[in-house]
Amino acid sequence: PVPGTMPYKRKKTNVIILSKEKLRVLLAAASKSNWYLEILLAVFCGLRKGEIGGLKFSDFDMEQETVSIRRQITSNPIIPKGQSKPEEYQIIERAPKTENSYRTIRVPAAVLKEINIRKKLVESNREKLGDSYFDYGYISSQENGLPHGTASFNVALSKLCERNALP
């Protein structure tokens, strides 16, 4: 739309599909981390990190063994008036990426088991922190109930892969 501008070249993402053996290594290592549930949701349900961040316990139907995708967590840049660069980023809840992103999908029993474990952990944190706990109902949150930063999952997954010689 602006004459004389050139699009910048984007680095193409290199998608790596893990073999069954490497997937087992990833899951075994993840089972010892705080991000196990998030990794299970990504691997077995095909959810994006923003969708995982936006999931609430109320989105799960344990009887039907399903989860409904209704929102995502993303970062919103705060740009002060008269400036061109963000001063900070705010974590916000938004609608899913596209209309087709609203969906209900089946959830494997192993993932549902981890949902129940996470629910107990969240309830324990809520009880322990009392009025200091922010109860938004997210399944993936910090100990105080606030959502994780948008880069947190990437950082944790990168470290996990690096420590276990995974791509």
Side-chain angles (χ1 to χ4, degrees), residues 7 9 14 23-24 54 78 99 115 126 130 149 167:
K9 291 188 177 189
N14 185 20
L23 183 58
R24 282 189 190 102
I78 307 298
E99 265 314 301
I115 293 291
R126 186 183 307 120

Side-chain angles (χ1 to χ4, degrees), residues 34 37-38 114-122 139:
N34 294 334
L37 174 59
E38 290 81 355
E114 290 301 318
I115 293 291
N116 287 324
I117 291 170
R118 179 67 57 89
K119 192 171 192 171
K120 288 176 186 169
L121 175 65
V122 166
I139 64 156

Side-chain angles (χ1 to χ4, degrees), residues 51-61 67-68 70-71 73 93 115 135-140:
E51 292 172 336
I52 294 168
L55 285 176
K56 296 186 178 192
F57 289 104
S58 60
D59 295 328
F60 287 85
D61 183 332
V67 63
S68 295
R70 300 178 180 145
R71 74 195 70 74
I73 291 291
E93 196 177 281
I115 293 291
D135 195 359
Y136 296 112
Y138 295 118
I139 64 156
S140 180

